[in-house]
Amino acid sequence: MARDFSDHNASHAQLISWSTPFATRLVTINLVPDGMTLASPRFTGTGNVVYYPLRTSNAVATNQYVEFQFSNGGRLIYATGLLGSISPGKTTPYY
């Protein structure tokens, strides 16, 4: 019998292996806010969840993070987090 997703039995090593390509991609395509990077992965107690705190350029981890949840087989269930840079764009004149 296949293990149910509710077993949440992935190891930390598996979660790192599965999430690293996603985390790396976020950095390489510049979706991490300017002046920040991702800190080392951290884990919740259950749920096959791994999260990467956003870290400032002087290596201070913030309370903001990118989070991934996986099935027991390594399929991405969801990803969430504060991504992208805010910068001034074109202004629209008010009429």
Side-chain angles (χ1 to χ4, degrees):
M1 178 178 193
R3 290 190 180 213
D4 185 349
F5 172 72
S6 64
D7 291 341
H8 305 299
N9 65 351
S11 70
H12 289 179
Q14 287 173 308
L15 293 172
I16 290 170
S17 173
W18 298 334
S19 64
T20 295
F22 294 106
T24 301
R25 183 75 175 140
L26 293 175
V27 172
T28 60
I29 64 172
N30 297 319
L31 284 180
V32 174
D34 287 342
M36 302 188 101
T37 189
L38 298 179
S40 298
R42 303 201 177 140
F43 308 93
T44 62
T46 61
N48 287 355
V49 174
V50 57
Y51 67 99
Y52 293 78
L54 289 170
R55 184 173 62 188
T56 64
S57 59
N58 60 352
V60 175
T62 69
N63 64 349
Q64 300 169 3
Y65 55 88
V66 175
E67 179 179 289
F68 304 98
Q69 183 178 31
F70 294 90
S71 71
N72 287 329
R75 186 176 56 87
L76 182 65
I77 302 295
Y78 77 85
T80 187
L82 175 65
L83 300 174
S85 298
I86 298 172
S87 61
K90 292 182 178 179
T91 58
T92 304
Y94 294 98
Y95 295 100

